[in-house]
Amino acid sequence: MKSIDLITYVTFGYLACSVLYLIAQVSGSQTKTIKGWLLGALILVFALHTGAIGLRWIESYQMGIGHAPLSNLYESLVFFAWCIALALIIARFKFGMDLLVLLGLPLVTLVLASTSLMDPSIKPLIPALQSNWLIAHVITCFLGYAGFAVSFVAAILLLMARESDFFARHLPRRQTLDEIVYRSILAGFPMLTIGIITGAAWADYAWGSYWQWDPKETWSLITWLVYSAFLHARLTRGWTGRKTALLSIIGFGAVLFTYFGVNYLPGLHSYF
Amino acid sequence: MKGRVAGNSSSTEEKGSIISGIVAFFTSARTTIVLLFLLAAGSILGTIVPQTHEIGPVTSFSSRLIVILDLNNVYRSWWFSLLLVLLSFNLLGCLMERLPAIPGEWKGRSRRSTFSFKLADTRSPAKLMEILLPKLSGFMNREPERSGKGDEFVWIKDRIYLLGFPLIHIAIIVILLGGVIGLFFGYRGHVLIKEGSSAQQFSLNSGETKPLPFAISVSAFSLTRYPSGEPKEFRSDIKILENGEEVRSGSILVNHPLTYKGISLFQSDYRVVDVKEVRLTVTGQDSSKTDLLLRPQSSQQIPGTDYEARLLSLDPGTTQRGVGVDLAVNKKGEDPRSLRVYKKTGPVQLGEVQLGFADYTPLYATGLQVGYDPGTLVVWIGCGLLIIGFFLTLFTNFRRITVTFAKEETRTAIRVSCRSRSMRREFRKSVEEIIRETLQSRSAQTKMQ
Ligand code: HEM
């Protein structure tokens, strides 16, 4: 089997998990064991996803142009989805909250499904991308983004719980959601910081300047500034609840723009 | 002092004084949040308004705005710099406010607590110490430190955590400083050097030329491609010459710069400036094929004929006609005439032979970026401090227990004050449980801050 086909199956696997989670959630009764099984299924799909990325790596070596599968939009989206899924699974074990998975999975499915619009062929690396800094850069940035994605989902849940009594009754306690909003960002922020630093190191090495205000760089800085404001608002001004949830949502908007919006502007990163 | 956080320090200052107002402004974390948002907004502007150096005629309101606010050069504009300066002062302010407290916290003298409570017991302080101290030492995995005043005992875990906050915030100042150093003392430029020649100066991005402290001599440039035709490698083989003597030699590739005396040379682009050699195929009447190699500025006898050929010009194939050459051919007793040999249109008859275009070897000029930034090292030091600071704040769990025993008339008062960075609720529960179980007392008056 080729990695591209495997990714297609994985996409449907995540879709199935999303639907089953939804059904289990709506049907309500005795869902503990069912959700346990579902979590197992999700982990299985995630393992396949991991395998598909590994397989693609091997395939590139078989083609004689071996490189980490992080070199074009298709590959980075597959990896982005992988990071979000990983963060969801970690958050599920840490906070024991199935709703997070329920709301996060459609995001994973959507990101993966969007890869069907991209050119999936394995291409040789153009000279500017042949660097180990780049691998470190992409991985750390995406792990950061994944943390922010979890925070975003929790923030949406929190706002829903605040707005309506119906949701408030069916959702986890607000304090728990608030903790998730905060802790996921606390985990994601250093990752993004290291991602920006390794990106700067790569730029310095390849282009002779660690910072060039290229739109993608600038947008990752904007994201970083927003989350830094979040942390200070929370740690020093005691902001919680709706205000920090809104900041988390704004921050994730910046993440999405860094990732998708900026590609329409010219710059060094235009090949992603 | 208890529970004092940066940001509300203004309440303790005298109202109305300008200086205290300024101090309050720069020590406030509210200022930080506002500055961070303004910087974010400014950065967004910079990605929306095109950042160019050329400005058209200043006529409309919007173009006037662009000029006043430097919107075409946001990241070097006066107001963006001002925001960064304000942020630096804000950082200094909050460091100055918080640094003095750190030695006290390090030694365990601080009263800053996440929770504290009081107990009273009828047993003597000595007896209480005897039963309580070993339990807490066991829990904290270390012996207590005894502070000078009275019967006070302090256990501190992961005190290195205290360095996280200053490291993170100093790191940002260091990084900004590195940026400023680069801005004032660094430069960037570009130089285009033909294969086989050398350069001693380069042009700055502003257009001026600047001499280099050494000469760059390019011996060869090569471009290799993947089978699919996409570029795989650009390589310039260069030598660095000082006073005509070679001091360094090496190759510059994309992602593989060469640095000499702090000046880095990067592969940035290349150009075909001339031709080294053109290869034509000469097909005789008997279909025998021979190669004819033509170099610029030299004539060559065409095999099988008494013609001589000279290269006039090369068309590198950027137009519809494709790649080809113009030749001047002549033989004794005939006027020289020109001959076009293009790859697409096929071989051309000349006397008894046919001339066909085979290929050519271009003469390249390699484009090198020249960069000098003495601030880079400072920036990397700042980044290193930042990462260490993050590591300390995230992966260490500062915990402190302070227990004071005070003899009152008929009983002993026990004060417990604790601080914990994370898992506060769990920490509190454990401490309370240990103390209650050890003292068998149900009358703990607890007070949570
Ligand atoms: C861009 C600049 C800044 C960055 C990246 C930054 C980063 C951080 C980070 C990551 C934390 C969390 C540390 C922790 O978990 O303990 C933090 C906390 C904090 N920062 Fe900043 N900071 C910046 C500027 C400032 C400024 C200008 C101030 C001045 C008021 C400030 C005051 C604080 C305070 C009071 C805390 C809380 C520390 C605690 O909870 O113990 N920060 N900062």
Side-chain angles (χ1 to χ4, degrees):
Chain A
M1 184 164 4
K2 300 262 289 282
S3 65
I4 300 171
D5 305 322
L6 199 52
I7 286 296
T8 312
Y9 292 126
V10 167
T11 312
F12 281 105
Y14 282 124
L15 182 64
C17 285
S18 318
V19 174
L20 291 174
Y21 257 103
L22 188 65
I23 294 172
Q25 186 69 29
V26 173
S27 64
S29 59
Q30 296 141 18
T31 51
K32 263 262 146 32
T33 45
I34 298 176
K35 280 183 183 159
W37 282 102
L38 277 178
L39 184 62
L42 174 61
I43 292 174
L44 188 72
V45 175
F46 178 72
L48 280 179
H49 192 167
T50 315
I53 294 177
L55 185 60
R56 192 175 172 89
W57 203 329
I58 295 171
E59 281 167 5
S60 79
Y61 272 95
Q62 283 166 351
M63 290 170 65
I65 47 174
H67 57 75
L70 297 168
S71 67
N72 58 24
L73 190 57
Y74 173 86
E75 291 176 345
S76 67
L77 279 173
V78 169
F79 184 68
F80 187 26
W82 185 87
C83 289
I84 301 179
L86 176 70
L88 286 175
I89 292 172
I90 291 176
R92 164 66 185 71
F93 278 107
K94 202 158 164 62
F95 303 107
M97 201 195 288
D98 287 301
L99 259 171
L100 217 54
V101 183
L102 174 68
L103 268 108
L105 273 185
L107 194 65
V108 178
T109 314
L110 213 65
V111 171
L112 268 188
S114 73
T115 62
S116 58
L117 302 174
M118 319 285 163
D119 173 15
S121 58
I122 300 181
K123 290 257 174 57
L125 277 182
I126 63 165
L129 294 182
Q130 298 161 1
S131 164
N132 286 334
W133 282 116
L134 194 67
I135 299 176
H137 168 60
V138 175
I139 290 179
T140 44
C141 274
F142 281 175
L143 287 177
Y145 292 166
F148 300 146
V150 171
S151 173
F152 169 75
V153 171
I156 298 273
L157 287 176
L158 180 59
L159 289 188
M160 278 162 50
R162 286 182 58 96
E163 289 310 314
S164 111
D165 283 339
F166 171 77
F167 285 124
R169 258 179 279 122
H170 292 270
L171 287 174
R173 289 177 38 208
R174 279 195 221 157
Q175 281 97 322
T176 317
L177 288 170
D178 193 56
E179 276 290 295
I180 297 177
V181 171
Y182 163 60
R183 285 184 182 273
S184 322
I185 288 178
L186 197 60
F189 189 69
M191 281 295 158
L192 178 64
T193 309
I194 297 178
I196 293 177
I197 292 175
T198 47
W202 169 59
D204 185 40
Y205 193 51
W207 310 94
S209 167
Y210 56 85
W211 197 262
Q212 306 205 57
W213 294 104
D214 142 282
K216 193 123 184 166
E217 273 176 347
T218 309
W219 270 94
S220 66
L221 180 73
I222 292 164
T223 310
W224 188 80
L225 290 169
V226 171
Y227 284 115
S228 179
F230 172 101
L231 285 180
H232 286 88
R234 164 104 194 190
L235 284 170
T236 65
R237 310 291 310 167
W239 286 21
T240 52
R242 196 175 71 92
K243 281 181 173 168
T244 39
L246 283 177
L247 274 184
S248 166
I249 291 170
I250 294 174
F252 197 64
V255 168
L256 291 183
F257 194 84
T258 311
Y259 198 57
F260 295 104
V262 173
N263 291 318
Y264 301 104
L265 306 166
L268 293 179
H269 285 79
S270 41
Y271 23 71
F272 273 101
Chain B
M1 278 301 284
K2 260 188 275 174
R4 186 173 159 194
V5 244
N8 57 11
S9 54
S10 59
S11 57
T12 56
E13 309 280 348
E14 215 175 275
K15 288 265 156 62
S17 147
I18 295 176
I19 293 182
S20 70
I22 292 174
V23 169
F25 176 79
F26 282 115
T27 51
S28 163
R30 179 184 287 157
T31 312
T32 316
I33 297 170
V34 172
L35 285 176
L36 292 174
F37 271 114
L38 288 178
L39 282 166
S43 305
I44 293 177
L45 262 184
T47 62
I48 295 173
V49 182
Q51 304 288 296
T52 56
H53 295 292
E54 303 102 46
I55 317 167
V58 182
T59 48
S60 64
F61 172 72
S62 63
S63 60
R64 207 161 289 150
L65 199 66
I66 286 180
V67 170
I68 294 172
L69 294 180
D70 280 339
L71 290 187
N72 60 325
N73 193 13
V74 166
Y75 310 114
R76 300 244 191 289
S77 65
W78 59 269
W79 54 270
F80 200 80
S81 311
L82 180 70
L83 288 177
L84 288 174
V85 170
L86 287 177
L87 184 72
S88 308
F89 280 110
N90 192 195
L91 278 160
L92 281 176
C94 82
L95 277 169
M96 285 189 339
E97 194 187 52
R98 295 181 140 237
L99 280 184
I102 290 179
E105 298 209 32
W106 187 273
K107 294 196 185 106
R109 273 194 241 111
S110 159
R111 282 278 159 277
R112 206 176 139 192
S113 57
T114 18
F115 62 92
S116 64
F117 52 90
K118 278 188 195 147
L119 301 147
D121 201 290
T122 47
R123 284 164 280 188
S124 74
K127 176 77 191 154
L128 287 170
M129 282 177 213
E130 192 191 314
I131 56 174
L132 193 54
L133 298 191
K135 285 274 182 242
L136 287 173
S137 296
F139 174 62
M140 291 295 274
N141 221 344
R142 68 203 58 227
E143 290 303 309
E145 289 153 46
R146 205 168 164 157
S147 78
K149 25 179 182 144
D151 287 320
E152 183 174 272
F153 299 86
V154 186
W155 293 260
I156 299 179
K157 228 179 191 175
D158 282 2
R159 51 156 63 87
I160 192 109
Y161 163 81
L162 295 169
L163 298 183
F165 173 85
L167 274 179
I168 289 177
H169 294 86
I170 289 173
I172 304 289
I173 298 181
V174 173
I175 291 173
L176 290 172
L177 206 65
V180 170
I181 293 175
L183 210 57
F184 281 105
F185 302 107
Y187 51 76
R188 284 179 74 71
H190 184 266
V191 59
L192 195 70
I193 312 172
K194 256 203 255 184
E195 284 181 286
S197 63
S198 65
Q200 178 92 57
Q201 58 183 23
F202 67 100
S203 46
L204 290 169
N205 289 349
S206 59
E208 300 163 59
T209 55
K210 192 177 161 76
L212 278 166
F214 48 77
I216 310 166
S217 150
V218 176
S219 30
F221 174 85
S222 66
L223 167 65
T224 41
R225 292 178 187 277
Y226 287 109
S228 61
E230 282 168 77
K232 180 180 181 185
E233 186 185 273
F234 308 109
R235 170 195 289 267
S236 305
D237 294 321
I238 67 146
K239 290 191 185 83
I240 304 271
L241 309 172
E242 252 175 335
N243 305 320
E245 286 198 30
E246 182 184 325
V247 285
R248 185 79 184 270
S249 73
S251 306
I252 302 177
L253 293 84
V254 175
N255 272 330
H256 191 285
L258 187 141
T259 305
Y260 184 70
K261 292 209 161 156
I263 299 176
S264 298
L265 305 171
F266 302 85
Q267 185 66 55
S268 88
D269 56 330
Y270 72 93
R271 232 172 273 171
V272 174
V273 283
D274 210 336
V275 54
K276 267 189 200 151
E277 203 170 65
V278 173
R279 196 159 61 89
L280 300 176
T281 312
V282 185
T283 316
Q285 273 173 321
D286 51 354
S287 298
S288 65
K289 284 185 196 297
T290 26
D291 275 354
L292 171 65
L293 296 175
L294 287 177
R295 280 160 208 248
Q297 276 124 28
S298 73
S299 298
Q300 193 86 24
Q301 164 96 41
I302 302 177
T305 68
D306 35 9
Y307 279 99
E308 276 202 338
R310 196 162 52 83
L311 208 54
L312 284 180
S313 70
L314 175 92
D315 181 341
T318 43
T319 58
Q320 282 287 314
R321 280 182 306 181
V323 55
V325 279
D326 279 340
L327 302 173
V329 289
N330 66 323
K331 76 176 179 190
K332 274 199 196 99
E334 233 180 61
D335 280 341
R337 59 189 170 106
S338 75
L339 197 66
R340 310 200 110 174
V341 186
Y342 272 75
K343 192 157 196 168
K344 242 190 196 165
T345 47
V348 178
Q349 192 74 37
L350 179 72
E352 274 91 66
V353 299
Q354 285 194 319
L355 281 181
F357 185 92
D359 54 22
Y360 74 99
T361 321
L363 179 75
Y364 291 108
T366 178
L368 300 177
Q369 277 220 29
V370 181
Y372 175 66
D373 186 345
T376 307
L377 183 64
V378 179
V379 170
W380 295 143
I381 290 173
C383 290
L385 295 178
L386 188 62
I387 292 175
I388 296 172
F390 272 135
F391 188 84
L392 293 183
T393 43
L394 278 180
F395 297 112
T396 60
N397 188 6
F398 178 86
R399 286 181 170 190
R400 192 202 69 224
I401 302 180
T402 309
V403 181
T404 323
F405 300 89
K407 180 102 188 104
E408 293 177 355
E409 292 133 32
T410 57
R411 48 181 208 165
T412 307
I414 307 171
R415 286 206 60 224
V416 182
S417 128
C418 301
R419 189 172 161 213
S420 169
R421 192 193 70 87
S422 69
M423 310 278 287
R424 295 176 176 180
R425 230 168 286 147
E426 292 82 348
F427 185 55
R428 180 180 182 176
K429 231 173 103 191
S430 321
V431 173
E432 282 181 356
E433 243 163 46
I434 289 170
I435 292 182
R436 245 176 248 149
E437 273 171 20
T438 325
L439 302 184
Q440 299 291 319
S441 129
R442 253 165 292 278
S443 61
Q445 292 176 277
T446 53
K447 181 174 120 238
M448 180 84 164
Q449 272 199 321

